[in-house]
Amino acid sequence: MEAISTLFWPTVAVLLTLAIYTFLWEDNPIYKVAEHIFTGVSVGYMIAQSWHNIIMPKLIVPTTNYFSNGRYLLAIYFIIGGLIGLLYLSRFSEKTSWLSRYPIAITVGFYAGFKIVPIWMTNVSKQLNATIQYPNGDSMLNLKMFGKFFDNPTWGNFISAINGPIIVIGVLLVLIYFFFSFSNDNIVVRASRKPALVVLMLGFGGSFGYTFMARISLFIGRMNYIFSDWIEILTTTLGG
Amino acid sequence: MAEDKNEKKWYDYLLTIKKPLVYLGMFLVVIIPFLSRCKLKTYETDLVKKVFTRVEKIHEYNKEHPDSKRGILLGFDYGPSTTPENDPMLYAVLRHAFLRDIPVVAWAPYVAYLQLAEGRIKRIAKEYKAEYGKDYVFMGLAYPPTPYMISTGTDMRPMFNTDYYGNDVYKLPILDRFNNYDAFGLVVTISGTAMPEVWLRYANSLYNQDVAVATTAVNAAKFYAYAASGQFTGMIAGLKGAAEYEQMVTRLENKVIDEDIKEYLTGLYKNVDKDKYPEKYYEPEYTKSEINTAILRRRQAGRGMSSQFGAHVYVIILIIIGNVGYYFKRRDEKRRKTGKWGA
Amino acid sequence: MKRFVYILVIISLLFSAGFAEEAENNNELDFTPKGKLEIKDKGNDDGTGVNVFFRPQNKPEEVKYYLLRVYYKSVSEDNLAAQYRIENKDRRYKFNVSLQKRRKHPYPNSRKGVARVYVSNEKGEAVKAFLTESTNTSASWFNINKLSAFMGVLLFLLFVYIFIKQARRGVEFFIRKIPGLEELDNAVGRATELGKPIYYIPGIGTTSRIATLASLNILAPVTRKVAKFATPLKVPNRDPVVMSIAQDVVKEGYMAEGRPDLFNSNDVFFLTRQQFAFAGAVSGLFKREKPGAVFLLGKFYAESLIFAETANDVGAIQIAGTDSVSQIPFFIAACDYTLIGEELFAASGYLSGDPLIVGTMKAQDYLKAILIVLLFIGIILNIFDIDIITKYILQR
């Protein structure tokens, strides 16, 4: 019996992995079966998990607890929240679907209001600050770094000397590239277009390479599962 | 058209390699390093070292202030689709924390991550005899994540009511202290999504909390800007980053435990009071296969790196082949048009 | 009567406990412990933060260890918020403490913090209390440290408001033509020459995504062009709401060119909501119908390369555009022309003149101009080690 719990399910996982990879040859029924199992299982799993991890512990249990503890005000908060949330269900009927706008308005309003300042700080002011100076307070266009490089011309010093200027120039170029108020004939727009594209393409190239690495890692992960974990289980279960 | 077929040049073969063959080659370069169990040491980069030293700093702070320790708040922000990359990161970070007795509070932002998180956290906790509710706690679902991050500015407990296992949050001793950002020396978000950005916005920008990120390579390029600006305390990116951290933690582990891991794990629960470790959280004993997987897990990313290396070399060769073929094809076409060569 | 007895018992117990504590702390020491203790409200918070400073004034030989305890409201074991062991190293110590009840429900938070310093031993136990300071804290309405962020956001919102309002009133703003915009016409022309259909995919986002709206704006001129040549146009959708808007847009486009006969509502269709099922269905359509031109404009996620690669496979000319930064590299690699990020909005604004998009574009341009100026000044000042801009504007 133990073999079923320890060996059976991992083997199913291995078979399903292989079934998905058959797609690399061509589309086939084995792949389709695996795909449909996945879709079906994930939907069912999500429904069950949502019930046990959201509706019960986040709404029903605290409400009943607060009622039994005599904290009626808190319980009423939960009930009001729950009722507003239930308005989402009004979408099932065309007549009442306008009601669902209330919970949407509340959540969107809350998030938009709350997000805007942190986004400004995270993506604008702090990033701009980092374009002017390094985290340790050194200036990005630090002439001392060049001095250091000319005193001791190593590769590392060269990189640290040109790093700051590259970032500053790159940021300025790309900001101008996405500046739409000047016409195409404008000398600044025309002159910066090509170099800005080079900077952008370098960035995208880096991103592409990283994504490739990620995809390979996923494949390695599956192979790791089959050739390390599963083989390990197989040998220990059958051998011992 | 028929003429073209007769005239199939060498570069045409290069440009029309059948896709299944390309995949087969990839399969081989990935699988051979695996089966040969070759070990590849990797160099350690600054961004990963920063995370490691930050955790070490927490350890030093805790040694100095044993009554008011600092903990790690762990955002388990990844799902089944990115486990191969994120798992080794989680294992390494958790091993580091438990090895240094740093309290860990963890939560997961989506329903689909929950079981994954629970299983993995307890597996590592078991390796270091971490007691649930005292050394670590898994709070369960924090959905939608934003209000939870905001409420951690003062106290996270009212948002949760109970932890994952249904314990009252006011009865878990670890949460007496570790319930707001002041008590956490570091937030570590291990993620295959854009969640680190959310952490950065709320925990870092609003509450000045240090945030370290462990991310899949897909998002690494995006997060580099934040890591370079110092907004992220450090970054573990992709399998490479995971391998680096794993290497550093293993080095530390060998120093701290100073015993063969197999023997260490076998003897771990021999002479302990088993009442301290309720079976609800994990079973305080080790089977043979569990020990074997625990040992394999210790260099999961490192093993992947040799395959990664093979795959990268393979793809570089493919890119070169493709471009060489393409270059000569274009040159021939040009020549044909200008009449310098051929018909 | 019984109740009074209980109360008496409880009070006496409390007293005895208090005395016990005092007795324990009255150990005789052969020196007087000295030090300077300060507790201050942290400010700019919800009223729970205090900063505690302690400067020992005994030599390390006299007192090696101190213990600092911070209570909320009053000194009692129940109200302990934090405690710190201090090894006397003859320097000033600073602690950030958050005043909270540890065990009980945290509401309401305290408005008073008490710090008390004890002489301690090696085990970290309290031997004798010798200093107690307290402070009242208050919650702030406004975090003054975030003033510059507030101003920045306010400025941006003001720009957006003013420009959208002006654009709606009919003020025409200049937006430059994206150099690659002719490619849209070329693609339609190519497909017509080949006699193949054109596919237009408005992304997989909902209407709440501005990229989807921008895409629907571009769909209008594309439809008009298509109507001129009578090339078949198909628009597969993932979102039902987007689909109904797209239907209207296409219909209007045909009407504007005087060819309502060409419009068939089945050409703008819904496929499925599942991300990868949608990707699979669309690439299946590409394989079967071999379109001459494919437009991939809007919000795309991980399925982007599936579209682009399949369309590339069947030899379609492809115009892509999205604001999802991580998908742009794939489009650049596989498509003939890519609108990068905001170019999608600019193209949409240029083609449609939609006040919402034009106004936002203009507001962004003004903001960018301010940021570029700020960046310039900041960099120049920073070279001369003046950090007004970074310290007081950007780091806040």
Side-chain angles (χ1 to χ4, degrees), chain C residues 200-227:
Chain C
Y200 191 104
I201 296 161
I204 65 164
T206 56
T207 43
S208 64
R209 296 283 178 182
I210 196 103
T212 313
L213 296 182
S215 173
L216 290 169
N217 278 333
I218 299 175
L219 177 60
V222 169
T223 315
R224 284 205 292 276
K225 195 116 311 151
V226 165

Side-chain angles (χ1 to χ4, degrees), chain A:
Chain A
M1 269 324 273
E2 203 200 317
I4 286 184
S5 61
T6 54
L7 188 62
F8 179 71
W9 291 113
T11 311
V12 170
V14 169
L15 290 178
L16 284 174
T17 302
L18 295 177
I20 291 288
Y21 280 130
T22 58
F23 185 74
L24 292 176
W25 195 259
E26 60 179 20
D27 202 354
N28 62 58
I30 300 174
Y31 166 76
K32 280 265 150 65
V33 167
E35 194 194 9
H36 289 152
I37 289 176
F38 170 68
T39 319
V41 167
S42 60
V43 170
Y45 177 78
M46 286 301 281
I47 290 174
Q49 285 279 318
S50 301
W51 177 262
H52 287 294
N53 287 302
I54 299 180
I55 296 174
M56 286 308 282
K58 305 272 173 197
L59 182 66
I60 293 172
V61 172
T63 315
T64 47
N65 277 355
Y66 284 134
F67 258 119
S68 52
N69 293 347
R71 293 171 162 271
Y72 297 114
L73 195 61
L74 278 171
I76 287 166
Y77 281 152
F78 274 87
I79 290 171
I80 292 174
L83 286 178
I84 294 176
L86 278 179
L87 292 181
Y88 269 114
L89 297 180
S90 66
R91 289 215 142 192
F92 287 126
S93 147
E94 205 136 287
K95 245 190 216 163
T96 54
S97 71
W98 59 274
L99 278 171
S100 69
R101 291 191 187 156
Y102 285 95
I104 294 174
I106 290 170
T107 41
V108 169
F110 170 78
Y111 280 115
F114 211 94
K115 245 182 191 172
I116 196 159
V117 169
I119 285 189
W120 173 275
M121 292 168 73
T122 313
N123 295 13
V124 182
S125 62
K126 285 192 175 182
Q127 283 291 309
L128 211 57
N129 179 52
T131 317
I132 295 173
Q133 59 182 21
Y134 287 104
N136 63 10
D138 282 352
S139 172
M140 271 282 171
L141 294 183
N142 201 341
L143 301 176
K144 280 177 221 152
M145 294 279 203
F146 279 100
K148 210 172 150 194
F149 167 65
F150 286 118
D151 289 343
N152 179 21
T154 61
W155 180 246
N157 280 347
F158 177 68
I159 293 293
S160 55
I162 62 162
N163 187 28
I166 285 180
I167 288 177
V168 172
I169 294 167
V171 168
L172 283 175
L173 283 173
V174 173
L175 269 179
I176 293 169
Y177 180 89
F178 286 114
F179 200 78
F180 299 105
S181 287
F182 293 142
S183 76
N184 285 319
D185 302 329
N186 188 298
I187 180 87
V188 182
V189 172
R190 230 174 0 167
S192 67
R193 193 175 155 75
K194 271 269 156 65
L197 272 174
V198 170
V199 173
L200 278 172
M201 290 306 147
L202 283 174
F204 291 138
S207 169
F208 195 103
Y210 256 128
T211 308
F212 170 76
M213 178 169 147
R215 300 291 179 247
I216 294 297
S217 309
L218 293 186
F219 182 57
I220 293 172
R222 282 335 287 167
M223 291 303 117
N224 182 32
Y225 180 73
I226 297 176
F227 290 100
S228 306
D229 297 359
W230 180 69
I231 295 266
E232 183 64 43
I233 295 168
L234 191 73
T235 46
T236 41
T237 319
L238 297 184

Side-chain angles (χ1 to χ4, degrees), chain B residues 39-112:
Chain B
K39 277 182 205 168
L40 201 71
K41 251 199 172 170
T42 182
Y43 60 92
E44 288 155 14
T45 53
D46 281 347
L47 281 176
V48 180
K49 267 189 216 158
K50 265 190 198 164
V51 184
F52 188 85
T53 41
R54 191 71 191 75
V55 176
E56 283 295 292
K57 255 194 198 151
I58 297 175
H59 168 65
E60 268 151 38
Y61 178 92
N62 288 354
K63 257 198 328 202
E64 217 174 295
H65 304 285
D67 295 334
S68 35
K69 281 186 172 184
R70 287 204 171 137
I72 287 179
L73 178 58
L74 183 92
F76 190 99
D77 302 332
Y78 69 93
S81 59
T82 54
T83 44
E85 275 182 285
N86 289 133
D87 272 353
M89 298 170 186
L90 176 86
Y91 296 151
V93 170
L94 277 180
R95 277 169 60 202
H96 193 183
F98 288 134
L99 206 57
R100 289 305 202 183
D101 268 334
I102 299 171
V104 176
V105 176
W107 77 47
Y110 297 112
V111 170

Side-chain angles (χ1 to χ4, degrees), chain C residues 373-386:
Chain C
V373 171
L374 211 61
L375 192 62
F376 257 117
I377 301 174
I379 287 171
I380 290 166
L381 290 182
N382 216 266
I383 292 175
F384 301 108
D385 277 341
I386 306 170

Side-chain angles (χ1 to χ4, degrees), chain B residues 67-68 154 157 170 176 182, chain C residues 46 83-84 100 102-103 106:
Chain B
D67 295 334
S68 35
T154 42
R157 288 175 293 181
Y170 290 98
D176 286 353
D182 287 341
Chain C
D46 56 349
Q83 74 175 22
Y84 298 91
Q100 267 176 9
R102 286 190 161 195
R103 294 262 162 166

